[in-house]
Amino acid sequence: MKNFIVTIDGPAASGKEKISRYISKKWKLKHLDSGTLYRRIALIFLNENIDINDIKQIKKKISKIKKISYRKSKKIRTQEISKLASKIAVHNCVRNFVNQLQYDFVEKNKKNTGFVIDGRDIGSVVFKNANLKLYIDVNADIRAKRRYKQLIDSSEKSIYRKILKDIKLRDKKDKMRKNSPLVIPANSYIIDNNDSFIKTIKQINKIFNNI
C-alpha cells in the first residue's frame, strides 16, 4: 500500500484515533492524527497567553512557529486543551497551517509507506483524492460515555452530563463553522462505531479486503 492514503473523518470522540491505530498496525500505514496538531498549537497559545479572539495575535504567533511535534502526549489530552483546540480551529489561518503540516508529513514519508490520517475535514478538504475514505458514526450519548471513561481513567475529574453537553455543542460548531465544516466526505464508507470494537473492525476489514 505504498503512497496509499486512508482518511478517517468523524465527530469528536467518535473513536477515530483508535480505529486509525488499528488500521495503521494491521496494514502497516503511517498514522497522523490531525487533532494532535491542533492540540499542540492550543497548548502553545495557552502557555504564551495568546488571545484566541484576536486574529492578529493568532496570525503573528502562527507565523513564528517553525517546528511542531506530531507526537501525542497526555498533557494535550485534557478537556481544557480540547476546548481551546476547538476554538482556534475555526480560524482559516490555523487550519491552513495545520493542513500544510499534514502535506509536509506525507511528502517527507511518502517513500516509506502509505498513510492513515484522521480528523474532521481530512477526506472532505485536506486529502480529497485519498484512496479510501471512512466516516465514523457514533451517537452523542455513547461518545460522551466513552470520553467520560477516558478522562476518569486518566485521573481527570469529569462530569458526564457536562461532557455530553460539550460534545453536542462541539458537533454543532463543527458542522456550522464557515471554514471546513464537518461533513461526510464524498465517496466515503460510513462506519458504525456505536457497538463493540470487534464489530467495528469487521466492517473495516471487509472494506479493505474488497479493495
Side-chain angles (χ1 to χ4, degrees), residues 6-8 14-33 36 70 72-73 77 115-119 134 136 150 193 197 200-201 204-205 208:
V6 180
T7 60
I8 312 287
S14 56
K16 298 184 296 293
E17 182 181 357
K18 186 175 182 179
I19 288 170
S20 296
R21 289 202 310 268
Y22 168 77
I23 292 173
S24 173
K25 184 176 181 180
K26 186 170 179 64
W27 283 281
K28 296 179 173 55
L29 302 176
K30 203 166 186 67
H31 177 213
L32 174 59
D33 176 4
T36 294
Y70 294 87
K72 299 174 179 62
S73 169
R77 300 299 300 182
F115 305 87
V116 54
I117 305 168
D118 67 85
L134 304 180
I136 314 305
Q150 182 184 56
N193 192 31
F197 193 62
T200 296
I201 63 175
I204 294 169
N205 291 346
F208 270 85

Side-chain angles (χ1 to χ4, degrees), residues 47-199:
N47 289 340
E48 298 189 20
N49 296 313
I50 303 297
D51 183 353
I52 63 169
N53 296 309
D54 187 334
I55 193 64
K56 289 184 178 179
Q57 272 196 53
I58 291 173
K59 287 182 176 180
K60 185 177 181 180
K61 184 58 197 176
I62 286 290
S63 69
K64 292 182 178 180
I65 299 176
K66 302 303 179 184
K67 189 176 181 181
I68 196 163
S69 174
Y70 294 87
R71 294 191 177 202
K72 299 174 179 62
S73 169
K74 284 186 178 181
K75 66 183 178 182
I76 62 172
R77 300 299 300 182
T78 66
Q79 280 291 85
E80 180 182 22
I81 293 297
S82 292
K83 288 181 181 180
L84 188 56
S86 175
K87 289 177 181 178
I88 66 172
V90 302
H91 298 298
N92 210 28
C93 61
V94 176
R95 301 200 73 83
N96 288 339
F97 179 71
V98 170
N99 289 352
Q100 189 58 54
L101 289 173
Q102 294 177 83
Y103 298 142
D104 292 345
F105 180 87
V106 169
E107 182 65 26
K108 181 180 178 181
N109 295 283
K110 70 177 183 179
K111 292 182 180 180
N112 303 314
T113 183
F115 305 87
V116 54
I117 305 168
D118 67 85
R120 288 177 181 77
D121 65 343
I122 310 303
S124 59
V125 175
V126 189
F127 294 100
K128 289 183 177 181
N129 297 318
N131 302 89
L132 176 63
K133 300 179 184 181
L134 304 180
Y135 182 87
I136 314 305
D137 184 42
V138 191
N139 74 54
D141 289 334
I142 290 176
R143 284 185 279 139
K145 289 175 182 176
R146 290 174 179 171
R147 176 59 62 84
Y148 173 77
K149 183 179 184 304
Q150 182 184 56
L151 292 171
I152 293 299
D153 288 347
S154 60
S155 301
E156 185 174 349
K157 291 183 179 180
S158 186
I159 300 173
Y160 167 74
R161 284 176 295 178
K162 186 176 186 305
I163 293 175
L164 178 59
K165 182 180 178 181
D166 288 345
I167 280 178
K168 288 182 176 180
L169 180 61
R170 179 72 183 269
D171 286 352
K172 184 177 180 180
K173 287 182 177 180
D174 284 345
K175 291 175 181 178
M176 298 292 289
R177 72 184 177 213
K178 182 179 179 180
N179 300 318
S180 302
L182 172 66
V183 297
I184 299 175
N187 303 314
S188 61
Y189 293 89
I190 298 178
I191 302 297
D192 182 350
N193 192 31
N194 283 289
D195 212 317
S196 69
F197 193 62
I198 292 176
K199 289 186 178 180

